[in-house]
PDB file of all heavy atoms in Angstrom:
ATOM      1  N   VAL A  10       0.883  -1.167   0.000  1.00  0.00           N
ATOM      2  CA  VAL A  10       0.000   0.000   0.000  1.00  0.00           C
ATOM      3  C   VAL A  10       0.921   1.217   0.000  1.00  0.00           C
ATOM      4  O   VAL A  10       1.732   1.384   0.912  1.00  0.00           O
ATOM      5  CB  VAL A  10      -0.938   0.012   1.226  1.00  0.00           C
ATOM      6  CG1 VAL A  10      -1.790   1.264   1.230  1.00  0.00           C
ATOM      7  CG2 VAL A  10      -1.800  -1.240   1.235  1.00  0.00           C
ATOM      8  N   VAL A  11       0.794   2.031  -1.039  1.00  0.00           N
ATOM      9  CA  VAL A  11       1.696   3.171  -1.208  1.00  0.00           C
ATOM     10  C   VAL A  11       0.887   4.460  -1.147  1.00  0.00           C
ATOM     11  O   VAL A  11      -0.018   4.669  -1.952  1.00  0.00           O
ATOM     12  CB  VAL A  11       2.439   3.083  -2.565  1.00  0.00           C
ATOM     13  CG1 VAL A  11       3.343   4.287  -2.761  1.00  0.00           C
ATOM     14  CG2 VAL A  11       3.236   1.787  -2.656  1.00  0.00           C
ATOM     15  N   ALA A  12       1.240   5.301  -0.196  1.00  0.00           N
ATOM     16  CA  ALA A  12       0.607   6.622  -0.111  1.00  0.00           C
ATOM     17  C   ALA A  12       1.265   7.525  -1.143  1.00  0.00           C
ATOM     18  O   ALA A  12       2.490   7.584  -1.245  1.00  0.00           O
ATOM     19  CB  ALA A  12       0.791   7.195   1.289  1.00  0.00           C
ATOM     20  N   THR A  13       0.450   8.178  -1.942  1.00  0.00           N
ATOM     21  CA  THR A  13       0.981   9.066  -2.969  1.00  0.00           C
ATOM     22  C   THR A  13       0.582  10.502  -2.652  1.00  0.00           C
ATOM     23  O   THR A  13      -0.461  10.748  -2.056  1.00  0.00           O
ATOM     24  CB  THR A  13       0.464   8.666  -4.365  1.00  0.00           C
ATOM     25  OG1 THR A  13      -0.963   8.683  -4.363  1.00  0.00           O
ATOM     26  CG2 THR A  13       0.947   7.265  -4.736  1.00  0.00           C
ATOM     27  N   PRO A  14       1.405  11.464  -3.044  1.00  0.00           N
ATOM     28  CA  PRO A  14       1.102  12.866  -2.734  1.00  0.00           C
ATOM     29  C   PRO A  14      -0.103  13.370  -3.512  1.00  0.00           C
ATOM     30  O   PRO A  14      -0.321  12.986  -4.654  1.00  0.00           O
ATOM     31  CB  PRO A  14       2.373  13.606  -3.147  1.00  0.00           C
ATOM     32  CG  PRO A  14       3.043  12.718  -4.135  1.00  0.00           C
ATOM     33  CD  PRO A  14       2.656  11.309  -3.768  1.00  0.00           C
ATOM     34  N   LEU A  15      -0.872  14.210  -2.874  1.00  0.00           N
ATOM     35  CA  LEU A  15      -2.033  14.799  -3.524  1.00  0.00           C
ATOM     36  C   LEU A  15      -1.645  16.006  -4.369  1.00  0.00           C
ATOM     37  O   LEU A  15      -2.333  16.340  -5.315  1.00  0.00           O
ATOM     38  CB  LEU A  15      -3.063  15.232  -2.479  1.00  0.00           C
ATOM     39  CG  LEU A  15      -3.674  14.102  -1.657  1.00  0.00           C
ATOM     40  CD1 LEU A  15      -4.582  14.679  -0.579  1.00  0.00           C
ATOM     41  CD2 LEU A  15      -4.443  13.154  -2.544  1.00  0.00           C
ATOM     42  N   GLY A  16      -0.558  16.639  -4.030  1.00  0.00           N
ATOM     43  CA  GLY A  16      -0.170  17.850  -4.744  1.00  0.00           C
ATOM     44  C   GLY A  16       1.193  17.722  -5.386  1.00  0.00           C
ATOM     45  O   GLY A  16       1.329  17.247  -6.505  1.00  0.00           O
ATOM     46  N   ASN A  17       2.218  18.086  -4.676  1.00  0.00           N
ATOM     47  CA  ASN A  17       3.575  18.157  -5.190  1.00  0.00           C
ATOM     48  C   ASN A  17       4.192  16.768  -5.319  1.00  0.00           C
ATOM     49  O   ASN A  17       4.369  16.064  -4.331  1.00  0.00           O
ATOM     50  CB  ASN A  17       4.408  19.033  -4.249  1.00  0.00           C
ATOM     51  CG  ASN A  17       5.784  19.304  -4.777  1.00  0.00           C
ATOM     52  OD1 ASN A  17       6.308  18.590  -5.625  1.00  0.00           O
ATOM     53  ND2 ASN A  17       6.391  20.353  -4.255  1.00  0.00           N
ATOM     54  N   ILE A  18       4.572  16.386  -6.533  1.00  0.00           N
ATOM     55  CA  ILE A  18       5.178  15.077  -6.767  1.00  0.00           C
ATOM     56  C   ILE A  18       6.484  14.932  -5.985  1.00  0.00           C
ATOM     57  O   ILE A  18       6.893  13.826  -5.641  1.00  0.00           O
ATOM     58  CB  ILE A  18       5.409  14.839  -8.280  1.00  0.00           C
ATOM     59  CG1 ILE A  18       5.840  13.392  -8.548  1.00  0.00           C
ATOM     60  CG2 ILE A  18       6.463  15.775  -8.835  1.00  0.00           C
ATOM     61  CD1 ILE A  18       4.804  12.389  -8.231  1.00  0.00           C
ATOM     62  N   GLY A  19       7.104  16.054  -5.660  1.00  0.00           N
ATOM     63  CA  GLY A  19       8.337  16.027  -4.866  1.00  0.00           C
ATOM     64  C   GLY A  19       8.123  15.478  -3.466  1.00  0.00           C
ATOM     65  O   GLY A  19       9.089  15.140  -2.779  1.00  0.00           O
ATOM     66  N   ASP A  20       6.870  15.393  -3.040  1.00  0.00           N
ATOM     67  CA  ASP A  20       6.562  14.852  -1.718  1.00  0.00           C
ATOM     68  C   ASP A  20       6.528  13.326  -1.695  1.00  0.00           C
ATOM     69  O   ASP A  20       6.369  12.732  -0.633  1.00  0.00           O
ATOM     70  CB  ASP A  20       5.219  15.395  -1.212  1.00  0.00           C
ATOM     71  CG  ASP A  20       5.279  16.881  -0.915  1.00  0.00           C
ATOM     72  OD1 ASP A  20       6.387  17.397  -0.684  1.00  0.00           O
ATOM     73  OD2 ASP A  20       4.213  17.528  -0.928  1.00  0.00           O
ATOM     74  N   LEU A  21       6.670  12.684  -2.847  1.00  0.00           N
ATOM     75  CA  LEU A  21       6.698  11.226  -2.900  1.00  0.00           C
ATOM     76  C   LEU A  21       8.007  10.754  -2.269  1.00  0.00           C
ATOM     77  O   LEU A  21       9.085  11.216  -2.636  1.00  0.00           O
ATOM     78  CB  LEU A  21       6.609  10.734  -4.351  1.00  0.00           C
ATOM     79  CG  LEU A  21       6.524   9.225  -4.536  1.00  0.00           C
ATOM     80  CD1 LEU A  21       5.172   8.705  -4.050  1.00  0.00           C
ATOM     81  CD2 LEU A  21       6.724   8.854  -5.993  1.00  0.00           C
ATOM     82  N   SER A  22       7.899   9.831  -1.330  1.00  0.00           N
ATOM     83  CA  SER A  22       9.100   9.365  -0.647  1.00  0.00           C
ATOM     84  C   SER A  22       9.939   8.477  -1.561  1.00  0.00           C
ATOM     85  O   SER A  22       9.415   7.840  -2.483  1.00  0.00           O
ATOM     86  CB  SER A  22       8.727   8.583   0.616  1.00  0.00           C
ATOM     87  OG  SER A  22       8.233   7.292   0.284  1.00  0.00           O
ATOM     88  N   PRO A  23      11.241   8.429  -1.323  1.00  0.00           N
ATOM     89  CA  PRO A  23      12.094   7.539  -2.121  1.00  0.00           C
ATOM     90  C   PRO A  23      11.649   6.072  -2.030  1.00  0.00           C
ATOM     91  O   PRO A  23      11.687   5.350  -3.015  1.00  0.00           O
ATOM     92  CB  PRO A  23      13.485   7.729  -1.510  1.00  0.00           C
ATOM     93  CG  PRO A  23      13.444   9.095  -0.907  1.00  0.00           C
ATOM     94  CD  PRO A  23      12.029   9.250  -0.404  1.00  0.00           C
ATOM     95  N   ARG A  24      11.197   5.639  -0.859  1.00  0.00           N
ATOM     96  CA  ARG A  24      10.747   4.259  -0.698  1.00  0.00           C
ATOM     97  C   ARG A  24       9.480   4.007  -1.510  1.00  0.00           C
ATOM     98  O   ARG A  24       9.332   2.960  -2.137  1.00  0.00           O
ATOM     99  CB  ARG A  24      10.488   3.948   0.784  1.00  0.00           C
ATOM    100  CG  ARG A  24      10.004   2.552   1.027  1.00  0.00           C
ATOM    101  CD  ARG A  24      11.092   1.522   0.736  1.00  0.00           C
ATOM    102  NE  ARG A  24      10.575   0.199   1.001  1.00  0.00           N
ATOM    103  CZ  ARG A  24      10.670  -0.821   0.172  1.00  0.00           C
ATOM    104  NH1 ARG A  24      11.297  -0.692  -0.970  1.00  0.00           N
ATOM    105  NH2 ARG A  24      10.162  -1.983   0.471  1.00  0.00           N
ATOM    106  N   ALA A  25       8.561   4.957  -1.539  1.00  0.00           N
ATOM    107  CA  ALA A  25       7.343   4.812  -2.334  1.00  0.00           C
ATOM    108  C   ALA A  25       7.696   4.707  -3.810  1.00  0.00           C
ATOM    109  O   ALA A  25       7.158   3.864  -4.527  1.00  0.00           O
ATOM    110  CB  ALA A  25       6.401   5.991  -2.098  1.00  0.00           C
ATOM    111  N   ARG A  26       8.632   5.516  -4.273  1.00  0.00           N
ATOM    112  CA  ARG A  26       9.065   5.462  -5.670  1.00  0.00           C
ATOM    113  C   ARG A  26       9.675   4.097  -5.983  1.00  0.00           C
ATOM    114  O   ARG A  26       9.429   3.514  -7.035  1.00  0.00           O
ATOM    115  CB  ARG A  26      10.074   6.562  -5.961  1.00  0.00           C
ATOM    116  CG  ARG A  26      10.417   6.661  -7.425  1.00  0.00           C
ATOM    117  CD  ARG A  26      11.540   7.694  -7.665  1.00  0.00           C
ATOM    118  NE  ARG A  26      11.814   7.859  -9.061  1.00  0.00           N
ATOM    119  CZ  ARG A  26      12.404   6.960  -9.842  1.00  0.00           C
ATOM    120  NH1 ARG A  26      12.758   5.798  -9.353  1.00  0.00           N
ATOM    121  NH2 ARG A  26      12.625   7.211 -11.114  1.00  0.00           N
ATOM    122  N   GLU A  27      10.479   3.587  -5.070  1.00  0.00           N
ATOM    123  CA  GLU A  27      11.110   2.278  -5.255  1.00  0.00           C
ATOM    124  C   GLU A  27      10.063   1.167  -5.382  1.00  0.00           C
ATOM    125  O   GLU A  27      10.157   0.305  -6.257  1.00  0.00           O
ATOM    126  CB  GLU A  27      12.029   1.991  -4.067  1.00  0.00           C
ATOM    127  CG  GLU A  27      12.747   0.665  -4.123  1.00  0.00           C
ATOM    128  CD  GLU A  27      13.600   0.440  -2.890  1.00  0.00           C
ATOM    129  OE1 GLU A  27      14.250   1.400  -2.420  1.00  0.00           O
ATOM    130  OE2 GLU A  27      13.610  -0.692  -2.394  1.00  0.00           O
ATOM    131  N   VAL A  28       9.059   1.206  -4.524  1.00  0.00           N
ATOM    132  CA  VAL A  28       7.993   0.200  -4.579  1.00  0.00           C
ATOM    133  C   VAL A  28       7.236   0.312  -5.902  1.00  0.00           C
ATOM    134  O   VAL A  28       6.954  -0.697  -6.555  1.00  0.00           O
ATOM    135  CB  VAL A  28       7.037   0.338  -3.373  1.00  0.00           C
ATOM    136  CG1 VAL A  28       5.793  -0.516  -3.547  1.00  0.00           C
ATOM    137  CG2 VAL A  28       7.760  -0.051  -2.088  1.00  0.00           C
ATOM    138  N   LEU A  29       6.911   1.533  -6.319  1.00  0.00           N
ATOM    139  CA  LEU A  29       6.211   1.717  -7.592  1.00  0.00           C
ATOM    140  C   LEU A  29       7.055   1.225  -8.768  1.00  0.00           C
ATOM    141  O   LEU A  29       6.526   0.624  -9.708  1.00  0.00           O
ATOM    142  CB  LEU A  29       5.835   3.187  -7.786  1.00  0.00           C
ATOM    143  CG  LEU A  29       4.767   3.730  -6.835  1.00  0.00           C
ATOM    144  CD1 LEU A  29       4.600   5.231  -7.036  1.00  0.00           C
ATOM    145  CD2 LEU A  29       3.455   3.005  -7.006  1.00  0.00           C
ATOM    146  N   ALA A  30       8.365   1.446  -8.711  1.00  0.00           N
ATOM    147  CA  ALA A  30       9.251   1.021  -9.791  1.00  0.00           C
ATOM    148  C   ALA A  30       9.268  -0.502  -9.937  1.00  0.00           C
ATOM    149  O   ALA A  30       9.470  -1.025 -11.033  1.00  0.00           O
ATOM    150  CB  ALA A  30      10.663   1.537  -9.546  1.00  0.00           C
ATOM    151  N   GLU A  31       9.041  -1.213  -8.838  1.00  0.00           N
ATOM    152  CA  GLU A  31       9.087  -2.675  -8.848  1.00  0.00           C
ATOM    153  C   GLU A  31       7.714  -3.320  -9.032  1.00  0.00           C
ATOM    154  O   GLU A  31       7.624  -4.541  -9.175  1.00  0.00           O
ATOM    155  CB  GLU A  31       9.714  -3.174  -7.549  1.00  0.00           C
ATOM    156  CG  GLU A  31      11.168  -2.748  -7.396  1.00  0.00           C
ATOM    157  CD  GLU A  31      11.753  -3.124  -6.056  1.00  0.00           C
ATOM    158  OE1 GLU A  31      11.077  -3.832  -5.271  1.00  0.00           O
ATOM    159  OE2 GLU A  31      12.888  -2.708  -5.782  1.00  0.00           O
ATOM    160  N   ALA A  32       6.663  -2.527  -9.039  1.00  0.00           N
ATOM    161  CA  ALA A  32       5.303  -3.070  -9.100  1.00  0.00           C
ATOM    162  C   ALA A  32       5.036  -3.782 -10.428  1.00  0.00           C
ATOM    163  O   ALA A  32       5.392  -3.282 -11.491  1.00  0.00           O
ATOM    164  CB  ALA A  32       4.280  -1.953  -8.901  1.00  0.00           C
ATOM    165  N   GLU A  33       4.403  -4.934 -10.338  1.00  0.00           N
ATOM    166  CA  GLU A  33       4.004  -5.685 -11.532  1.00  0.00           C
ATOM    167  C   GLU A  33       2.598  -5.296 -11.986  1.00  0.00           C
ATOM    168  O   GLU A  33       2.229  -5.498 -13.133  1.00  0.00           O
ATOM    169  CB  GLU A  33       4.042  -7.183 -11.239  1.00  0.00           C
ATOM    170  CG  GLU A  33       5.435  -7.696 -10.965  1.00  0.00           C
ATOM    171  CD  GLU A  33       5.448  -9.159 -10.594  1.00  0.00           C
ATOM    172  OE1 GLU A  33       4.405  -9.831 -10.743  1.00  0.00           O
ATOM    173  OE2 GLU A  33       6.501  -9.626 -10.144  1.00  0.00           O
ATOM    174  N   ARG A  34       1.805  -4.765 -11.068  1.00  0.00           N
ATOM    175  CA  ARG A  34       0.434  -4.349 -11.348  1.00  0.00           C
ATOM    176  C   ARG A  34       0.053  -3.348 -10.261  1.00  0.00           C
ATOM    177  O   ARG A  34       0.486  -3.458  -9.135  1.00  0.00           O
ATOM    178  CB  ARG A  34      -0.505  -5.554 -11.297  1.00  0.00           C
ATOM    179  CG  ARG A  34      -1.957  -5.236 -11.526  1.00  0.00           C
ATOM    180  CD  ARG A  34      -2.792  -6.502 -11.651  1.00  0.00           C
ATOM    181  NE  ARG A  34      -2.273  -7.439 -12.624  1.00  0.00           N
ATOM    182  CZ  ARG A  34      -2.488  -7.383 -13.938  1.00  0.00           C
ATOM    183  NH1 ARG A  34      -3.208  -6.401 -14.432  1.00  0.00           N
ATOM    184  NH2 ARG A  34      -1.989  -8.273 -14.744  1.00  0.00           N
ATOM    185  N   VAL A  35      -0.777  -2.376 -10.628  1.00  0.00           N
ATOM    186  CA  VAL A  35      -1.192  -1.357  -9.660  1.00  0.00           C
ATOM    187  C   VAL A  35      -2.709  -1.232  -9.681  1.00  0.00           C
ATOM    188  O   VAL A  35      -3.312  -1.050 -10.739  1.00  0.00           O
ATOM    189  CB  VAL A  35      -0.533   0.007  -9.978  1.00  0.00           C
ATOM    190  CG1 VAL A  35      -1.090   1.100  -9.083  1.00  0.00           C
ATOM    191  CG2 VAL A  35       0.984  -0.076  -9.836  1.00  0.00           C
ATOM    192  N   LEU A  36      -3.297  -1.324  -8.506  1.00  0.00           N
ATOM    193  CA  LEU A  36      -4.721  -1.028  -8.325  1.00  0.00           C
ATOM    194  C   LEU A  36      -4.791   0.404  -7.833  1.00  0.00           C
ATOM    195  O   LEU A  36      -4.073   0.773  -6.898  1.00  0.00           O
ATOM    196  CB  LEU A  36      -5.344  -1.968  -7.292  1.00  0.00           C
ATOM    197  CG  LEU A  36      -5.270  -3.455  -7.599  1.00  0.00           C
ATOM    198  CD1 LEU A  36      -5.871  -4.258  -6.448  1.00  0.00           C
ATOM    199  CD2 LEU A  36      -5.976  -3.775  -8.881  1.00  0.00           C
ATOM    200  N   CYS A  37      -5.625   1.205  -8.455  1.00  0.00           N
ATOM    201  CA  CYS A  37      -5.660   2.620  -8.101  1.00  0.00           C
ATOM    202  C   CYS A  37      -7.060   3.186  -8.275  1.00  0.00           C
ATOM    203  O   CYS A  37      -7.916   2.579  -8.913  1.00  0.00           O
ATOM    204  CB  CYS A  37      -4.671   3.393  -8.965  1.00  0.00           C
ATOM    205  SG  CYS A  37      -4.865   3.131 -10.737  1.00  0.00           S
ATOM    206  N   GLU A  38      -7.260   4.361  -7.695  1.00  0.00           N
ATOM    207  CA  GLU A  38      -8.554   5.028  -7.816  1.00  0.00           C
ATOM    208  C   GLU A  38      -8.745   5.635  -9.203  1.00  0.00           C
ATOM    209  O   GLU A  38      -9.839   5.646  -9.738  1.00  0.00           O
ATOM    210  CB  GLU A  38      -8.683   6.133  -6.773  1.00  0.00           C
ATOM    211  CG  GLU A  38      -8.852   5.615  -5.371  1.00  0.00           C
ATOM    212  CD  GLU A  38      -9.081   6.753  -4.406  1.00  0.00           C
ATOM    213  OE1 GLU A  38     -10.254   7.117  -4.212  1.00  0.00           O
ATOM    214  OE2 GLU A  38      -8.088   7.262  -3.859  1.00  0.00           O
ATOM    215  N   ASP A  39      -7.675   6.185  -9.763  1.00  0.00           N
ATOM    216  CA  ASP A  39      -7.760   6.901 -11.034  1.00  0.00           C
ATOM    217  C   ASP A  39      -6.550   6.526 -11.887  1.00  0.00           C
ATOM    218  O   ASP A  39      -5.424   6.933 -11.585  1.00  0.00           O
ATOM    219  CB  ASP A  39      -7.795   8.403 -10.759  1.00  0.00           C
ATOM    220  CG  ASP A  39      -8.015   9.244 -11.998  1.00  0.00           C
ATOM    221  OD1 ASP A  39      -7.645   8.802 -13.105  1.00  0.00           O
ATOM    222  OD2 ASP A  39      -8.536  10.359 -11.869  1.00  0.00           O
ATOM    223  N   THR A  40      -6.774   5.763 -12.931  1.00  0.00           N
ATOM    224  CA  THR A  40      -5.661   5.288 -13.748  1.00  0.00           C
ATOM    225  C   THR A  40      -4.957   6.435 -14.481  1.00  0.00           C
ATOM    226  O   THR A  40      -3.739   6.386 -14.667  1.00  0.00           O
ATOM    227  CB  THR A  40      -6.132   4.239 -14.781  1.00  0.00           C
ATOM    228  OG1 THR A  40      -7.162   4.803 -15.597  1.00  0.00           O
ATOM    229  CG2 THR A  40      -6.641   2.985 -14.094  1.00  0.00           C
ATOM    230  N   ARG A  41      -5.695   7.468 -14.845  1.00  0.00           N
ATOM    231  CA  ARG A  41      -5.064   8.596 -15.544  1.00  0.00           C
ATOM    232  C   ARG A  41      -4.079   9.317 -14.639  1.00  0.00           C
ATOM    233  O   ARG A  41      -2.947   9.617 -15.039  1.00  0.00           O
ATOM    234  CB  ARG A  41      -6.118   9.577 -16.062  1.00  0.00           C
ATOM    235  CG  ARG A  41      -6.981   8.988 -17.164  1.00  0.00           C
ATOM    236  CD  ARG A  41      -8.171   9.859 -17.438  1.00  0.00           C
ATOM    237  NE  ARG A  41      -8.971   9.900 -16.209  1.00  0.00           N
ATOM    238  CZ  ARG A  41     -10.061  10.602 -16.036  1.00  0.00           C
ATOM    239  NH1 ARG A  41     -10.510  11.367 -17.002  1.00  0.00           N
ATOM    240  NH2 ARG A  41     -10.736  10.563 -14.911  1.00  0.00           N
ATOM    241  N   ARG A  42      -4.503   9.599 -13.419  1.00  0.00           N
ATOM    242  CA  ARG A  42      -3.614  10.285 -12.464  1.00  0.00           C
ATOM    243  C   ARG A  42      -2.434   9.409 -12.085  1.00  0.00           C
ATOM    244  O   ARG A  42      -1.315   9.893 -11.926  1.00  0.00           O
ATOM    245  CB  ARG A  42      -4.388  10.684 -11.205  1.00  0.00           C
ATOM    246  CG  ARG A  42      -5.499  11.666 -11.429  1.00  0.00           C
ATOM    247  CD  ARG A  42      -5.039  13.081 -11.529  1.00  0.00           C
ATOM    248  NE  ARG A  42      -4.482  13.501 -10.259  1.00  0.00           N
ATOM    249  CZ  ARG A  42      -3.627  14.499 -10.131  1.00  0.00           C
ATOM    250  NH1 ARG A  42      -3.258  15.184 -11.169  1.00  0.00           N
ATOM    251  NH2 ARG A  42      -3.134  14.818  -8.958  1.00  0.00           N
ATOM    252  N   THR A  43      -2.674   8.115 -11.952  1.00  0.00           N
ATOM    253  CA  THR A  43      -1.588   7.197 -11.596  1.00  0.00           C
ATOM    254  C   THR A  43      -0.586   7.095 -12.736  1.00  0.00           C
ATOM    255  O   THR A  43       0.625   7.069 -12.506  1.00  0.00           O
ATOM    256  CB  THR A  43      -2.156   5.820 -11.213  1.00  0.00           C
ATOM    257  OG1 THR A  43      -3.084   5.999 -10.139  1.00  0.00           O
ATOM    258  CG2 THR A  43      -1.059   4.874 -10.788  1.00  0.00           C
ATOM    259  N   ARG A  44      -1.058   7.080 -13.970  1.00  0.00           N
ATOM    260  CA  ARG A  44      -0.155   7.061 -15.125  1.00  0.00           C
ATOM    261  C   ARG A  44       0.695   8.339 -15.130  1.00  0.00           C
ATOM    262  O   ARG A  44       1.896   8.304 -15.402  1.00  0.00           O
ATOM    263  CB  ARG A  44      -0.951   6.940 -16.423  1.00  0.00           C
ATOM    264  CG  ARG A  44      -0.112   6.543 -17.603  1.00  0.00           C
ATOM    265  CD  ARG A  44      -0.937   6.216 -18.838  1.00  0.00           C
ATOM    266  NE  ARG A  44      -2.085   5.350 -18.628  1.00  0.00           N
ATOM    267  CZ  ARG A  44      -2.050   4.031 -18.437  1.00  0.00           C
ATOM    268  NH1 ARG A  44      -0.888   3.415 -18.401  1.00  0.00           N
ATOM    269  NH2 ARG A  44      -3.156   3.333 -18.273  1.00  0.00           N
ATOM    270  N   GLU A  45       0.087   9.482 -14.799  1.00  0.00           N
ATOM    271  CA  GLU A  45       0.825  10.745 -14.705  1.00  0.00           C
ATOM    272  C   GLU A  45       1.888  10.673 -13.604  1.00  0.00           C
ATOM    273  O   GLU A  45       2.994  11.200 -13.777  1.00  0.00           O
ATOM    274  CB  GLU A  45      -0.123  11.904 -14.424  1.00  0.00           C
ATOM    275  CG  GLU A  45      -1.034  12.254 -15.581  1.00  0.00           C
ATOM    276  CD  GLU A  45      -2.092  13.283 -15.202  1.00  0.00           C
ATOM    277  OE1 GLU A  45      -2.051  13.835 -14.073  1.00  0.00           O
ATOM    278  OE2 GLU A  45      -2.974  13.541 -16.040  1.00  0.00           O
ATOM    279  N   LEU A  46       1.555  10.041 -12.486  1.00  0.00           N
ATOM    280  CA  LEU A  46       2.506   9.882 -11.388  1.00  0.00           C
ATOM    281  C   LEU A  46       3.717   9.077 -11.850  1.00  0.00           C
ATOM    282  O   LEU A  46       4.863   9.469 -11.606  1.00  0.00           O
ATOM    283  CB  LEU A  46       1.829   9.191 -10.195  1.00  0.00           C
ATOM    284  CG  LEU A  46       2.734   8.815  -9.033  1.00  0.00           C
ATOM    285  CD1 LEU A  46       3.254  10.054  -8.330  1.00  0.00           C
ATOM    286  CD2 LEU A  46       1.997   7.913  -8.059  1.00  0.00           C
TER     287      LEU A  46
END
């Protein structure tokens, strides 16, 4: 479970970025916003 920033992408933690980089599949509320992330 990865908390993502609501505003500034710079607020994404390095660990969250690492987990996202290794993800094989992502369940999300909004695929468009997640693709932008």
Side-chain angles (χ1 to χ4, degrees):
V10 177
V11 178
T13 57
L15 296 175
N17 187 339
I18 189 65
D20 292 337
L21 184 70
S22 75
R24 179 68 179 131
R26 187 185 184 289
E27 180 182 320
V28 169
L29 292 174
E31 296 174 7
E33 294 177 11
R34 178 172 308 277
V35 173
L36 301 177
C37 53
E38 289 184 89
D39 185 333
T40 57
R41 293 168 298 177
R42 297 279 295 157
T43 303
R44 196 171 314 284
E45 290 172 7
L46 173 68

